[in-house]
Amino acid sequence: MNLRNIAIIAHVDHGKTTLVDALLAQSGVFRANEATVERAMDSNDQERERGITILAKCTSVLWHGKAGETRINIIDTPGHADFGGEVERILGMVDGCVILIDAEEGVMPQTKFVLGKALKLGLRPILCINKVDRPHADPDRVHNEAFDLFAAMGASDEQLDFPHIYASGKNGWATMDLNTPSDNLAPLFDLIVEHVPAPAVQKNVDQPFQMLSVLIESDPFLGRLLTGRVQSGKAVPGLAIKALNRDGVEIERGRITKVLAFRGLKRQPIDEGTEAGDICAIAGLSKATVADTLCDMSLDTALPAQPIDPPTISMTVSVNDSPLAGREGTKVQSRVIRERLLKEAESNVAIRVTESAEKDAFEVAGRGELQLGVLIENMRREGFEVAISRPRVVFKTDEETGEKMEPIEDVVIDVDEEFTGIVIEKLSARKAELKDMAPSGAGKQRVVLKAPSRSLIGYQGEFLTDTRGSGVLNRVFSHYEGYKGLIDQNRKGVLVSNSDGETASYALWNLEERGVMFVGAGEKTYMGMIIGENSRSDDLDVNPMKAKQLTNVRASGKDEAVRLTPPRRPTLEQAIAYIEDDELVEVTPKSIRLRKKELNPSFRKKRVKVDA
């Protein structure tokens, strides 16, 4: 049987997972009477809620086309730059890729990132211009943009000679020529079989078993599952194997207890094993992890693993020490938090965890606020209680000059023309440099900038306010440059509770003229907890428990019911982006609270004087 391994790569929201849905449906994976779900590959709870792909996942289809029966292993990848580590790992497993570009939006920052990784590995991508049925689609412009991008990224002559196809993943059709309508994805299947080469390692089937672990997950029955492409030999249950790290040092020995192959959306045990070139998951080892080589006992050389780009954002995760700690979560000890963070760093190579100098605190570094927010949200759902600091950028020092270097990001903004001025003005004040600005159709402008990563921390909320929710901001790490100096990010002050207890409607009603509330009536608060945003630039200690004085004298108009404005409750990502350096976010399974690091107001004032 013919075999093809491909990855589907693209910018966020360009239709990867929807296209995979259509490929699965048309290849006969689902029975006629089987209920199917939309975005079947997004199996994780957060993926379904957020509508994005977070983890790279593998599936497999059988296609009976012009070349006969072919098994196509398809890997769906995330589009967000924050989860770029997933893309970098899996591209080494495949022999070709389909790069999707939205026919209306065109080339975006993450398109550039994923294409660069694919070209560097020598893959010859297939360009799929998706969503050609959108009202403002311009496939010819997008095709020209894609060719310019290939050339700018240093593609070889062979890579520049890429085939292109037009598709509508949502409606399940693809065509090589827009003048020739189609009602299915057969042209795309046939193009994949024709253009993507069969795995070159298939010729190594008679050699000893060897495989590079690329994805790791835990199964309640089988234990640790390591997924990768078999480089040589055959993965057979019962085979004695060992695991080597990148340097060729042996980590452990064991036996393969189960070999699971991808068949549609399910993983099926394969008793006869899988041969070189196929992608499978192996159970039986307990210490081996991502980037380790699993091989026959006779081998001593590790397979080369793809280097992963370093993290650019870090934050401190510490034990929750607020007065309300331990009331909602079950996992609150530093030992349990440490084990969970190290487990995450093991399976997610783009995250780095180190012990902090502070007591019971850990430095967690990743690609962006969204990636760190997803990790904390997962921990929160598992019953953890933690306190999180404001994200900070990871600085570097230039080895030659000793100069301080900071991460720079490429920013692409699509915004209504009337809001272009305010967006450029705000970002210029944050040390961003304007590179290009052009109309993008439908009354929108596309603004391209280069900005320091730290200037974008906490900007998303302000951006949505400035553009009335109509703007779309995309960003991706580009490179390191010299330190740009101090950035003035003038956030308003906050209202801080000066005592412990439950909030009173009367007190909050009186405080509403001071600013926006983050809490409602009857909620537990404590000294040092942030209960709202001040309308002025300074912090204000207030008493949200003060009840109305009761007298036995009636007066007209005094007994009216207090009506409160609904509080503005920040989400986890909004809270992380909102806080300042002297503040923390307290995260529990049921609540997200903002607080000052130093709860006692008198100590806070002393600290300000010392810092000054």
Side-chain angles (χ1 to χ4, degrees), residues 562-596:
V562 171
R563 286 192 185 144
L564 295 175
T565 307
R568 187 176 89 200
R569 299 191 188 277
T571 63
L572 180 57
E573 272 92 25
Q574 287 168 346
I576 292 171
Y578 181 81
I579 57 173
E580 293 285 4
D581 292 333
D582 65 333
E583 296 163 358
L584 296 172
V585 179
E586 177 189 347
V587 181
T588 73
K590 295 179 183 173
S591 311
I592 293 170
R593 304 184 187 100
L594 281 65
R595 52 164 282 197
K596 289 288 183 181

PDB file of all heavy atoms in Angstrom, residues 562-596:
ATOM      1  N   VAL A 562     -30.962  49.821  46.452  1.00  0.00           N
ATOM      2  CA  VAL A 562     -29.705  50.183  45.788  1.00  0.00           C
ATOM      3  C   VAL A 562     -29.584  49.374  44.499  1.00  0.00           C
ATOM      4  O   VAL A 562     -29.721  48.153  44.511  1.00  0.00           O
ATOM      5  CB  VAL A 562     -28.510  49.883  46.727  1.00  0.00           C
ATOM      6  CG1 VAL A 562     -27.198  50.032  45.975  1.00  0.00           C
ATOM      7  CG2 VAL A 562     -28.548  50.787  47.933  1.00  0.00           C
ATOM      8  N   ARG A 563     -29.332  50.074  43.381  1.00  0.00           N
ATOM      9  CA  ARG A 563     -29.156  49.386  42.094  1.00  0.00           C
ATOM     10  C   ARG A 563     -27.702  49.527  41.669  1.00  0.00           C
ATOM     11  O   ARG A 563     -27.216  50.630  41.456  1.00  0.00           O
ATOM     12  CB  ARG A 563     -30.062  49.994  41.035  1.00  0.00           C
ATOM     13  CG  ARG A 563     -31.502  49.595  41.250  1.00  0.00           C
ATOM     14  CD  ARG A 563     -32.354  49.955  40.047  1.00  0.00           C
ATOM     15  NE  ARG A 563     -33.754  49.671  40.328  1.00  0.00           N
ATOM     16  CZ  ARG A 563     -34.765  50.414  39.900  1.00  0.00           C
ATOM     17  NH1 ARG A 563     -34.511  51.484  39.187  1.00  0.00           N
ATOM     18  NH2 ARG A 563     -36.003  50.092  40.171  1.00  0.00           N
ATOM     19  N   LEU A 564     -27.019  48.379  41.534  1.00  0.00           N
ATOM     20  CA  LEU A 564     -25.604  48.393  41.175  1.00  0.00           C
ATOM     21  C   LEU A 564     -25.405  48.112  39.682  1.00  0.00           C
ATOM     22  O   LEU A 564     -26.149  47.332  39.086  1.00  0.00           O
ATOM     23  CB  LEU A 564     -24.841  47.326  41.967  1.00  0.00           C
ATOM     24  CG  LEU A 564     -24.764  47.514  43.484  1.00  0.00           C
ATOM     25  CD1 LEU A 564     -24.070  46.303  44.115  1.00  0.00           C
ATOM     26  CD2 LEU A 564     -24.011  48.781  43.846  1.00  0.00           C
ATOM     27  N   THR A 565     -24.380  48.759  39.129  1.00  0.00           N
ATOM     28  CA  THR A 565     -23.967  48.432  37.757  1.00  0.00           C
ATOM     29  C   THR A 565     -23.302  47.054  37.783  1.00  0.00           C
ATOM     30  O   THR A 565     -22.499  46.783  38.682  1.00  0.00           O
ATOM     31  CB  THR A 565     -22.945  49.478  37.251  1.00  0.00           C
ATOM     32  OG1 THR A 565     -23.495  50.774  37.436  1.00  0.00           O
ATOM     33  CG2 THR A 565     -22.604  49.251  35.789  1.00  0.00           C
ATOM     34  N   PRO A 566     -23.604  46.155  36.832  1.00  0.00           N
ATOM     35  CA  PRO A 566     -22.951  44.835  36.843  1.00  0.00           C
ATOM     36  C   PRO A 566     -21.426  44.976  36.817  1.00  0.00           C
ATOM     37  O   PRO A 566     -20.886  45.802  36.068  1.00  0.00           O
ATOM     38  CB  PRO A 566     -23.454  44.174  35.546  1.00  0.00           C
ATOM     39  CG  PRO A 566     -24.730  44.873  35.234  1.00  0.00           C
ATOM     40  CD  PRO A 566     -24.564  46.279  35.731  1.00  0.00           C
ATOM     41  N   PRO A 567     -20.719  44.202  37.640  1.00  0.00           N
ATOM     42  CA  PRO A 567     -19.251  44.344  37.699  1.00  0.00           C
ATOM     43  C   PRO A 567     -18.580  43.853  36.415  1.00  0.00           C
ATOM     44  O   PRO A 567     -19.126  43.032  35.685  1.00  0.00           O
ATOM     45  CB  PRO A 567     -18.853  43.457  38.883  1.00  0.00           C
ATOM     46  CG  PRO A 567     -19.950  42.462  39.013  1.00  0.00           C
ATOM     47  CD  PRO A 567     -21.195  43.151  38.563  1.00  0.00           C
ATOM     48  N   ARG A 568     -17.387  44.373  36.139  1.00  0.00           N
ATOM     49  CA  ARG A 568     -16.578  43.919  35.003  1.00  0.00           C
ATOM     50  C   ARG A 568     -15.662  42.806  35.511  1.00  0.00           C
ATOM     51  O   ARG A 568     -14.701  43.077  36.227  1.00  0.00           O
ATOM     52  CB  ARG A 568     -15.746  45.081  34.453  1.00  0.00           C
ATOM     53  CG  ARG A 568     -15.011  44.739  33.160  1.00  0.00           C
ATOM     54  CD  ARG A 568     -14.285  45.953  32.627  1.00  0.00           C
ATOM     55  NE  ARG A 568     -12.938  46.066  33.167  1.00  0.00           N
ATOM     56  CZ  ARG A 568     -12.226  47.180  33.185  1.00  0.00           C
ATOM     57  NH1 ARG A 568     -12.746  48.302  32.733  1.00  0.00           N
ATOM     58  NH2 ARG A 568     -11.007  47.204  33.678  1.00  0.00           N
ATOM     59  N   ARG A 569     -15.995  41.570  35.190  1.00  0.00           N
ATOM     60  CA  ARG A 569     -15.206  40.442  35.701  1.00  0.00           C
ATOM     61  C   ARG A 569     -14.174  40.031  34.654  1.00  0.00           C
ATOM     62  O   ARG A 569     -14.533  39.509  33.599  1.00  0.00           O
ATOM     63  CB  ARG A 569     -16.114  39.257  36.030  1.00  0.00           C
ATOM     64  CG  ARG A 569     -17.139  39.590  37.105  1.00  0.00           C
ATOM     65  CD  ARG A 569     -17.838  38.347  37.606  1.00  0.00           C
ATOM     66  NE  ARG A 569     -18.940  38.701  38.499  1.00  0.00           N
ATOM     67  CZ  ARG A 569     -18.809  38.976  39.790  1.00  0.00           C
ATOM     68  NH1 ARG A 569     -17.617  38.938  40.336  1.00  0.00           N
ATOM     69  NH2 ARG A 569     -19.855  39.270  40.534  1.00  0.00           N
ATOM     70  N   PRO A 570     -12.881  40.265  34.921  1.00  0.00           N
ATOM     71  CA  PRO A 570     -11.864  39.932  33.921  1.00  0.00           C
ATOM     72  C   PRO A 570     -11.688  38.420  33.760  1.00  0.00           C
ATOM     73  O   PRO A 570     -11.791  37.662  34.731  1.00  0.00           O
ATOM     74  CB  PRO A 570     -10.581  40.574  34.481  1.00  0.00           C
ATOM     75  CG  PRO A 570     -10.828  40.752  35.935  1.00  0.00           C
ATOM     76  CD  PRO A 570     -12.313  40.875  36.123  1.00  0.00           C
ATOM     77  N   THR A 571     -11.460  37.980  32.525  1.00  0.00           N
ATOM     78  CA  THR A 571     -11.110  36.579  32.294  1.00  0.00           C
ATOM     79  C   THR A 571      -9.671  36.366  32.742  1.00  0.00           C
ATOM     80  O   THR A 571      -8.970  37.330  33.077  1.00  0.00           O
ATOM     81  CB  THR A 571     -11.228  36.222  30.801  1.00  0.00           C
ATOM     82  OG1 THR A 571     -10.276  37.019  30.076  1.00  0.00           O
ATOM     83  CG2 THR A 571     -12.624  36.483  30.267  1.00  0.00           C
ATOM     84  N   LEU A 572      -9.217  35.116  32.741  1.00  0.00           N
ATOM     85  CA  LEU A 572      -7.860  34.817  33.184  1.00  0.00           C
ATOM     86  C   LEU A 572      -6.826  35.583  32.360  1.00  0.00           C
ATOM     87  O   LEU A 572      -5.925  36.221  32.914  1.00  0.00           O
ATOM     88  CB  LEU A 572      -7.600  33.307  33.096  1.00  0.00           C
ATOM     89  CG  LEU A 572      -6.205  32.839  33.530  1.00  0.00           C
ATOM     90  CD1 LEU A 572      -5.893  33.255  34.953  1.00  0.00           C
ATOM     91  CD2 LEU A 572      -6.083  31.330  33.384  1.00  0.00           C
ATOM     92  N   GLU A 573      -6.939  35.546  31.020  1.00  0.00           N
ATOM     93  CA  GLU A 573      -5.961  36.254  30.171  1.00  0.00           C
ATOM     94  C   GLU A 573      -6.022  37.763  30.389  1.00  0.00           C
ATOM     95  O   GLU A 573      -4.989  38.428  30.432  1.00  0.00           O
ATOM     96  CB  GLU A 573      -6.201  35.955  28.684  1.00  0.00           C
ATOM     97  CG  GLU A 573      -5.488  34.737  28.165  1.00  0.00           C
ATOM     98  CD  GLU A 573      -6.356  33.503  28.276  1.00  0.00           C
ATOM     99  OE1 GLU A 573      -7.594  33.653  28.295  1.00  0.00           O
ATOM    100  OE2 GLU A 573      -5.814  32.397  28.388  1.00  0.00           O
ATOM    101  N   GLN A 574      -7.234  38.299  30.538  1.00  0.00           N
ATOM    102  CA  GLN A 574      -7.372  39.744  30.778  1.00  0.00           C
ATOM    103  C   GLN A 574      -6.742  40.134  32.104  1.00  0.00           C
ATOM    104  O   GLN A 574      -6.070  41.162  32.206  1.00  0.00           O
ATOM    105  CB  GLN A 574      -8.852  40.138  30.762  1.00  0.00           C
ATOM    106  CG  GLN A 574      -9.476  40.129  29.383  1.00  0.00           C
ATOM    107  CD  GLN A 574     -10.991  40.241  29.429  1.00  0.00           C
ATOM    108  OE1 GLN A 574     -11.617  40.073  30.481  1.00  0.00           O
ATOM    109  NE2 GLN A 574     -11.610  40.512  28.291  1.00  0.00           N
ATOM    110  N   ALA A 575      -6.936  39.291  33.119  1.00  0.00           N
ATOM    111  CA  ALA A 575      -6.369  39.575  34.441  1.00  0.00           C
ATOM    112  C   ALA A 575      -4.842  39.546  34.405  1.00  0.00           C
ATOM    113  O   ALA A 575      -4.169  40.422  34.962  1.00  0.00           O
ATOM    114  CB  ALA A 575      -6.898  38.568  35.465  1.00  0.00           C
ATOM    115  N   ILE A 576      -4.275  38.540  33.724  1.00  0.00           N
ATOM    116  CA  ILE A 576      -2.805  38.423  33.641  1.00  0.00           C
ATOM    117  C   ILE A 576      -2.229  39.644  32.931  1.00  0.00           C
ATOM    118  O   ILE A 576      -1.182  40.173  33.321  1.00  0.00           O
ATOM    119  CB  ILE A 576      -2.412  37.123  32.889  1.00  0.00           C
ATOM    120  CG1 ILE A 576      -2.792  35.887  33.714  1.00  0.00           C
ATOM    121  CG2 ILE A 576      -0.927  37.088  32.583  1.00  0.00           C
ATOM    122  CD1 ILE A 576      -2.628  34.566  32.958  1.00  0.00           C
ATOM    123  N   ALA A 577      -2.909  40.105  31.866  1.00  0.00           N
ATOM    124  CA  ALA A 577      -2.411  41.248  31.098  1.00  0.00           C
ATOM    125  C   ALA A 577      -2.633  42.571  31.842  1.00  0.00           C
ATOM    126  O   ALA A 577      -1.926  43.547  31.596  1.00  0.00           O
ATOM    127  CB  ALA A 577      -3.105  41.303  29.742  1.00  0.00           C
ATOM    128  N   TYR A 578      -3.611  42.617  32.764  1.00  0.00           N
ATOM    129  CA  TYR A 578      -3.999  43.875  33.422  1.00  0.00           C
ATOM    130  C   TYR A 578      -3.065  44.262  34.566  1.00  0.00           C
ATOM    131  O   TYR A 578      -2.759  45.429  34.761  1.00  0.00           O
ATOM    132  CB  TYR A 578      -5.435  43.735  33.941  1.00  0.00           C
ATOM    133  CG  TYR A 578      -5.971  44.970  34.629  1.00  0.00           C
ATOM    134  CD1 TYR A 578      -6.478  46.033  33.886  1.00  0.00           C
ATOM    135  CD2 TYR A 578      -5.967  45.083  36.022  1.00  0.00           C
ATOM    136  CE1 TYR A 578      -6.962  47.175  34.510  1.00  0.00           C
ATOM    137  CE2 TYR A 578      -6.457  46.214  36.659  1.00  0.00           C
ATOM    138  CZ  TYR A 578      -6.952  47.258  35.895  1.00  0.00           C
ATOM    139  OH  TYR A 578      -7.427  48.392  36.518  1.00  0.00           O
ATOM    140  N   ILE A 579      -2.609  43.276  35.318  1.00  0.00           N
ATOM    141  CA  ILE A 579      -1.900  43.585  36.567  1.00  0.00           C
ATOM    142  C   ILE A 579      -0.552  44.266  36.331  1.00  0.00           C
ATOM    143  O   ILE A 579       0.065  44.124  35.282  1.00  0.00           O
ATOM    144  CB  ILE A 579      -1.696  42.311  37.433  1.00  0.00           C
ATOM    145  CG1 ILE A 579      -0.945  41.234  36.642  1.00  0.00           C
ATOM    146  CG2 ILE A 579      -3.018  41.808  37.967  1.00  0.00           C
ATOM    147  CD1 ILE A 579      -0.563  40.022  37.473  1.00  0.00           C
ATOM    148  N   GLU A 580      -0.096  44.995  37.364  1.00  0.00           N
ATOM    149  CA  GLU A 580       1.222  45.644  37.345  1.00  0.00           C
ATOM    150  C   GLU A 580       2.237  44.761  38.073  1.00  0.00           C
ATOM    151  O   GLU A 580       1.879  43.703  38.606  1.00  0.00           O
ATOM    152  CB  GLU A 580       1.125  47.017  38.021  1.00  0.00           C
ATOM    153  CG  GLU A 580       0.272  48.027  37.269  1.00  0.00           C
ATOM    154  CD  GLU A 580       0.951  48.599  36.034  1.00  0.00           C
ATOM    155  OE1 GLU A 580       2.075  48.152  35.706  1.00  0.00           O
ATOM    156  OE2 GLU A 580       0.359  49.473  35.382  1.00  0.00           O
ATOM    157  N   ASP A 581       3.481  45.229  38.142  1.00  0.00           N
ATOM    158  CA  ASP A 581       4.550  44.416  38.736  1.00  0.00           C
ATOM    159  C   ASP A 581       4.348  44.154  40.233  1.00  0.00           C
ATOM    160  O   ASP A 581       4.868  43.174  40.766  1.00  0.00           O
ATOM    161  CB  ASP A 581       5.916  45.099  38.524  1.00  0.00           C
ATOM    162  CG  ASP A 581       6.307  45.093  37.046  1.00  0.00           C
ATOM    163  OD1 ASP A 581       5.848  44.187  36.334  1.00  0.00           O
ATOM    164  OD2 ASP A 581       7.046  45.994  36.617  1.00  0.00           O
ATOM    165  N   ASP A 582       3.615  45.051  40.932  1.00  0.00           N
ATOM    166  CA  ASP A 582       3.432  44.859  42.383  1.00  0.00           C
ATOM    167  C   ASP A 582       2.115  44.140  42.687  1.00  0.00           C
ATOM    168  O   ASP A 582       1.634  44.171  43.823  1.00  0.00           O
ATOM    169  CB  ASP A 582       3.468  46.212  43.107  1.00  0.00           C
ATOM    170  CG  ASP A 582       2.292  47.117  42.720  1.00  0.00           C
ATOM    171  OD1 ASP A 582       1.785  46.958  41.588  1.00  0.00           O
ATOM    172  OD2 ASP A 582       1.890  47.963  43.541  1.00  0.00           O
ATOM    173  N   GLU A 583       1.529  43.491  41.674  1.00  0.00           N
ATOM    174  CA  GLU A 583       0.228  42.832  41.849  1.00  0.00           C
ATOM    175  C   GLU A 583       0.299  41.376  41.410  1.00  0.00           C
ATOM    176  O   GLU A 583       1.231  40.969  40.700  1.00  0.00           O
ATOM    177  CB  GLU A 583      -0.846  43.584  41.039  1.00  0.00           C
ATOM    178  CG  GLU A 583      -1.073  45.005  41.512  1.00  0.00           C
ATOM    179  CD  GLU A 583      -1.812  45.894  40.515  1.00  0.00           C
ATOM    180  OE1 GLU A 583      -2.132  45.425  39.408  1.00  0.00           O
ATOM    181  OE2 GLU A 583      -2.034  47.072  40.857  1.00  0.00           O
ATOM    182  N   LEU A 584      -0.687  40.590  41.836  1.00  0.00           N
ATOM    183  CA  LEU A 584      -0.770  39.166  41.481  1.00  0.00           C
ATOM    184  C   LEU A 584      -2.200  38.833  41.055  1.00  0.00           C
ATOM    185  O   LEU A 584      -3.142  39.558  41.402  1.00  0.00           O
ATOM    186  CB  LEU A 584      -0.402  38.285  42.691  1.00  0.00           C
ATOM    187  CG  LEU A 584       1.016  38.373  43.253  1.00  0.00           C
ATOM    188  CD1 LEU A 584       1.101  37.589  44.558  1.00  0.00           C
ATOM    189  CD2 LEU A 584       2.039  37.846  42.263  1.00  0.00           C
ATOM    190  N   VAL A 585      -2.329  37.715  40.321  1.00  0.00           N
ATOM    191  CA  VAL A 585      -3.659  37.159  40.033  1.00  0.00           C
ATOM    192  C   VAL A 585      -3.782  35.888  40.863  1.00  0.00           C
ATOM    193  O   VAL A 585      -2.941  34.993  40.767  1.00  0.00           O
ATOM    194  CB  VAL A 585      -3.835  36.819  38.535  1.00  0.00           C
ATOM    195  CG1 VAL A 585      -5.229  36.226  38.300  1.00  0.00           C
ATOM    196  CG2 VAL A 585      -3.647  38.041  37.672  1.00  0.00           C
ATOM    197  N   GLU A 586      -4.814  35.827  41.693  1.00  0.00           N
ATOM    198  CA  GLU A 586      -5.082  34.623  42.498  1.00  0.00           C
ATOM    199  C   GLU A 586      -6.064  33.761  41.701  1.00  0.00           C
ATOM    200  O   GLU A 586      -7.174  34.193  41.399  1.00  0.00           O
ATOM    201  CB  GLU A 586      -5.689  35.045  43.842  1.00  0.00           C
ATOM    202  CG  GLU A 586      -6.066  33.884  44.725  1.00  0.00           C
ATOM    203  CD  GLU A 586      -6.873  34.313  45.957  1.00  0.00           C
ATOM    204  OE1 GLU A 586      -6.932  35.524  46.263  1.00  0.00           O
ATOM    205  OE2 GLU A 586      -7.461  33.425  46.582  1.00  0.00           O
ATOM    206  N   VAL A 587      -5.619  32.563  41.338  1.00  0.00           N
ATOM    207  CA  VAL A 587      -6.429  31.674  40.498  1.00  0.00           C
ATOM    208  C   VAL A 587      -6.838  30.450  41.300  1.00  0.00           C
ATOM    209  O   VAL A 587      -5.991  29.736  41.843  1.00  0.00           O
ATOM    210  CB  VAL A 587      -5.632  31.224  39.243  1.00  0.00           C
ATOM    211  CG1 VAL A 587      -6.494  30.331  38.361  1.00  0.00           C
ATOM    212  CG2 VAL A 587      -5.162  32.423  38.445  1.00  0.00           C
ATOM    213  N   THR A 588      -8.147  30.196  41.390  1.00  0.00           N
ATOM    214  CA  THR A 588      -8.665  29.002  42.067  1.00  0.00           C
ATOM    215  C   THR A 588      -9.671  28.344  41.112  1.00  0.00           C
ATOM    216  O   THR A 588     -10.059  28.952  40.113  1.00  0.00           O
ATOM    217  CB  THR A 588      -9.368  29.367  43.395  1.00  0.00           C
ATOM    218  OG1 THR A 588     -10.621  29.988  43.092  1.00  0.00           O
ATOM    219  CG2 THR A 588      -8.531  30.311  44.248  1.00  0.00           C
ATOM    220  N   PRO A 589     -10.109  27.111  41.393  1.00  0.00           N
ATOM    221  CA  PRO A 589     -11.066  26.458  40.489  1.00  0.00           C
ATOM    222  C   PRO A 589     -12.351  27.247  40.255  1.00  0.00           C
ATOM    223  O   PRO A 589     -12.991  27.100  39.214  1.00  0.00           O
ATOM    224  CB  PRO A 589     -11.365  25.135  41.204  1.00  0.00           C
ATOM    225  CG  PRO A 589     -10.131  24.846  41.977  1.00  0.00           C
ATOM    226  CD  PRO A 589      -9.641  26.187  42.447  1.00  0.00           C
ATOM    227  N   LYS A 590     -12.738  28.107  41.208  1.00  0.00           N
ATOM    228  CA  LYS A 590     -14.011  28.830  41.057  1.00  0.00           C
ATOM    229  C   LYS A 590     -13.854  30.332  40.868  1.00  0.00           C
ATOM    230  O   LYS A 590     -14.794  30.995  40.447  1.00  0.00           O
ATOM    231  CB  LYS A 590     -14.900  28.581  42.288  1.00  0.00           C
ATOM    232  CG  LYS A 590     -15.332  27.126  42.441  1.00  0.00           C
ATOM    233  CD  LYS A 590     -16.182  26.956  43.680  1.00  0.00           C
ATOM    234  CE  LYS A 590     -16.563  25.487  43.875  1.00  0.00           C
ATOM    235  NZ  LYS A 590     -17.253  25.266  45.146  1.00  0.00           N
ATOM    236  N   SER A 591     -12.697  30.890  41.208  1.00  0.00           N
ATOM    237  CA  SER A 591     -12.559  32.354  41.211  1.00  0.00           C
ATOM    238  C   SER A 591     -11.257  32.821  40.561  1.00  0.00           C
ATOM    239  O   SER A 591     -10.268  32.097  40.548  1.00  0.00           O
ATOM    240  CB  SER A 591     -12.578  32.895  42.651  1.00  0.00           C
ATOM    241  OG  SER A 591     -13.658  32.359  43.368  1.00  0.00           O
ATOM    242  N   ILE A 592     -11.317  34.049  40.029  1.00  0.00           N
ATOM    243  CA  ILE A 592     -10.106  34.761  39.582  1.00  0.00           C
ATOM    244  C   ILE A 592     -10.127  36.102  40.308  1.00  0.00           C
ATOM    245  O   ILE A 592     -11.040  36.912  40.096  1.00  0.00           O
ATOM    246  CB  ILE A 592     -10.111  34.960  38.053  1.00  0.00           C
ATOM    247  CG1 ILE A 592      -9.993  33.610  37.353  1.00  0.00           C
ATOM    248  CG2 ILE A 592      -8.968  35.881  37.627  1.00  0.00           C
ATOM    249  CD1 ILE A 592     -10.220  33.666  35.860  1.00  0.00           C
ATOM    250  N   ARG A 593      -9.174  36.305  41.201  1.00  0.00           N
ATOM    251  CA  ARG A 593      -9.129  37.551  41.975  1.00  0.00           C
ATOM    252  C   ARG A 593      -7.820  38.284  41.695  1.00  0.00           C
ATOM    253  O   ARG A 593      -6.789  37.648  41.488  1.00  0.00           O
ATOM    254  CB  ARG A 593      -9.227  37.266  43.478  1.00  0.00           C
ATOM    255  CG  ARG A 593     -10.456  36.479  43.898  1.00  0.00           C
ATOM    256  CD  ARG A 593     -10.522  36.326  45.408  1.00  0.00           C
ATOM    257  NE  ARG A 593     -11.606  35.444  45.800  1.00  0.00           N
ATOM    258  CZ  ARG A 593     -11.449  34.153  46.131  1.00  0.00           C
ATOM    259  NH1 ARG A 593     -10.235  33.615  46.129  1.00  0.00           N
ATOM    260  NH2 ARG A 593     -12.487  33.408  46.468  1.00  0.00           N
ATOM    261  N   LEU A 594      -7.879  39.608  41.708  1.00  0.00           N
ATOM    262  CA  LEU A 594      -6.669  40.423  41.580  1.00  0.00           C
ATOM    263  C   LEU A 594      -6.311  40.941  42.967  1.00  0.00           C
ATOM    264  O   LEU A 594      -7.193  41.266  43.762  1.00  0.00           O
ATOM    265  CB  LEU A 594      -6.916  41.603  40.629  1.00  0.00           C
ATOM    266  CG  LEU A 594      -6.867  41.305  39.133  1.00  0.00           C
ATOM    267  CD1 LEU A 594      -7.993  40.377  38.711  1.00  0.00           C
ATOM    268  CD2 LEU A 594      -6.948  42.590  38.321  1.00  0.00           C
ATOM    269  N   ARG A 595      -5.028  41.004  43.256  1.00  0.00           N
ATOM    270  CA  ARG A 595      -4.605  41.432  44.593  1.00  0.00           C
ATOM    271  C   ARG A 595      -3.239  42.116  44.511  1.00  0.00           C
ATOM    272  O   ARG A 595      -2.520  41.994  43.512  1.00  0.00           O
ATOM    273  CB  ARG A 595      -4.501  40.232  45.534  1.00  0.00           C
ATOM    274  CG  ARG A 595      -3.666  39.104  44.988  1.00  0.00           C
ATOM    275  CD  ARG A 595      -3.254  38.102  46.035  1.00  0.00           C
ATOM    276  NE  ARG A 595      -2.143  38.585  46.836  1.00  0.00           N
ATOM    277  CZ  ARG A 595      -1.380  37.809  47.597  1.00  0.00           C
ATOM    278  NH1 ARG A 595      -1.608  36.518  47.667  1.00  0.00           N
ATOM    279  NH2 ARG A 595      -0.390  38.309  48.307  1.00  0.00           N
ATOM    280  N   LYS A 596      -2.892  42.825  45.577  1.00  0.00           N
ATOM    281  CA  LYS A 596      -1.550  43.396  45.708  1.00  0.00           C
ATOM    282  C   LYS A 596      -0.611  42.325  46.270  1.00  0.00           C
ATOM    283  O   LYS A 596      -1.038  41.471  47.049  1.00  0.00           O
ATOM    284  CB  LYS A 596      -1.571  44.601  46.647  1.00  0.00           C
ATOM    285  CG  LYS A 596      -2.268  45.834  46.071  1.00  0.00           C
ATOM    286  CD  LYS A 596      -1.441  46.470  44.984  1.00  0.00           C
ATOM    287  CE  LYS A 596      -2.057  47.728  44.423  1.00  0.00           C
ATOM    288  NZ  LYS A 596      -1.244  48.307  43.342  1.00  0.00           N
TER     289      LYS A 596
END
